Amino acid sequence: AQSVTQLDSHVSVSEGTPVLLRCNYSSSYSPSLFWYVQHPNKGLQLLLKYTSAATLVKGINGFEAEFKKSETSFHLTKPSAHMSDAAEYFCVVSDLGDSSYKLIFGSGTRLLVRP
Amino acid sequence: DAGITQSPRHKVTETGTPVTLRCHQTENHRYMYWYRQDPGHGLRLIHYSYGVKDTDKGEVSDGYSVSRSKTEDFLLTLESATSSQTSVYFCAIKEDTDTQYFGPGTRLTVL
């Protein structure tokens, strides 16, 4: 069975400092992994996606994530936080062997950016 | 923009009343999904559809039914709303890859 664990429910950083949001997953087959972002009272926006083409995935707004199979991790990073990055971030897994293509969401990490 | 709209965007209703939420897409995607979002749970799948009249249950389907009579519309019905169904509901479509794109959401309050 698939599952996703986001290791921090809240992360607080200062503007201009690096961001690290941690995610571990379990999957029976070859996983697709995603990060979505949700700004307050908004819908979900796709940040980036891993589908086995490259282990380091670059997304929008300067975010990137590295797939580490040995550690079953897919952590999200950004070199320098901006105030506009304050939002909730969801790590998501989908198994390529599941014909429903359903997404399994982590419980989310709320990122606070301090001025 | 995946061309997904949801209606209504906000609804307040009373316990025991039926409620139908609509998801509309403009790009003829085969797969459509309904999720609910609750604090501390991320999004959880309620039902999904893999074609006209083809639907299946997700992990939190109790108390919900769906219908898809046209490719572009996917309806979610709460036959008799309960307070535990107060939530934000998101519709999604799957593109030809396995990437899903989400609608703007419907905030439902059951009093």
Side-chain angles (χ1 to χ4, degrees):
Chain A
Q2 309 155 61
S3 68
V4 177
T5 302
Q6 293 186 242
L7 298 165
D8 306 291
S9 60
H10 294 80
V11 170
S12 180
V13 301
S14 297
E15 189 174 22
T17 64
V19 175
L20 170 63
L21 305 184
R22 299 182 294 164
C23 173
N24 288 112
Y25 71 93
S26 68
S27 174
S28 302
Y29 301 98
S30 298
S32 287
L33 292 158
F34 308 82
W35 278 96
Y36 285 85
V37 60
Q38 185 178 34
H39 288 91
N41 298 312
K42 300 291 187 183
L44 285 89
Q45 180 182 19
L46 179 68
L47 269 182
L48 51 79
K49 170 184 176 182
Y50 165 77
T51 54
S52 77
T55 57
L56 184 62
V57 183
K58 293 189 183 299
I60 61 171
N61 301 333
F63 284 94
E64 63 182 35
E66 185 173 9
F67 173 70
K68 292 187 176 180
K69 186 175 182 178
S70 61
E71 298 176 9
T72 60
S73 69
F74 191 57
H75 301 333
L76 182 70
T77 60
K78 183 174 181 179
S80 176
H82 191 273
M83 295 297 292
S84 61
D85 295 327
E88 189 154 25
Y89 293 79
F90 293 98
C91 182
V92 181
V93 66
S94 175
D95 263 332
L96 296 179
D98 184 342
S99 62
S100 74
Y101 302 97
K102 65 178 180 285
L103 301 181
I104 304 298
F105 280 74
S107 55
T109 298
R110 188 167 297 278
L111 177 65
L112 173 66
V113 182
R114 303 185 303 272
Chain B
D1 183 359
I4 308 168
T5 57
Q6 293 184 230
S7 58
R9 295 292 315 279
H10 301 271
K11 185 171 182 66
V12 179
T13 191
E14 293 187 350
T15 299
T17 59
V19 176
T20 296
L21 309 183
R22 179 180 183 243
C23 177
H24 179 80
Q25 58 143 331
T26 59
E27 298 181 359
N28 290 320
H29 295 292
R30 181 181 168 200
Y31 282 79
M32 298 182 75
Y33 303 81
W34 277 108
Y35 294 87
R36 61 177 288 173
Q37 182 178 26
D38 305 290
H41 289 279
L43 274 72
R44 292 178 292 174
L45 181 65
I46 305 171
H47 282 279
Y48 70 99
S49 170
Y50 48 97
V52 173
K53 300 192 190 310
D54 292 321
T55 65
D56 205 348
K57 296 178 180 180
E59 67 173 304
V60 291
S61 60
D62 286 350
Y64 301 95
S65 62
V66 290
S67 65
R68 192 164 179 206
S69 58
K70 299 185 291 184
T71 298
E72 58 266 34
D73 290 324
F74 190 33
L75 304 181
L76 176 70
T77 297
L78 292 65
E79 300 290 349
S80 177
T82 67
S83 59
S84 65
Q85 294 176 312
T86 292
S87 188
V88 182
Y89 292 85
F90 286 98
C91 173
I93 58 90
K94 186 188 77 68
E95 292 195 332
D96 290 342
T97 63
D98 56 350
T99 302
Q100 292 187 23
Y101 293 93
F102 290 82
T106 294
R107 184 173 297 274
L108 176 67
T109 302
V110 183
L111 302 175

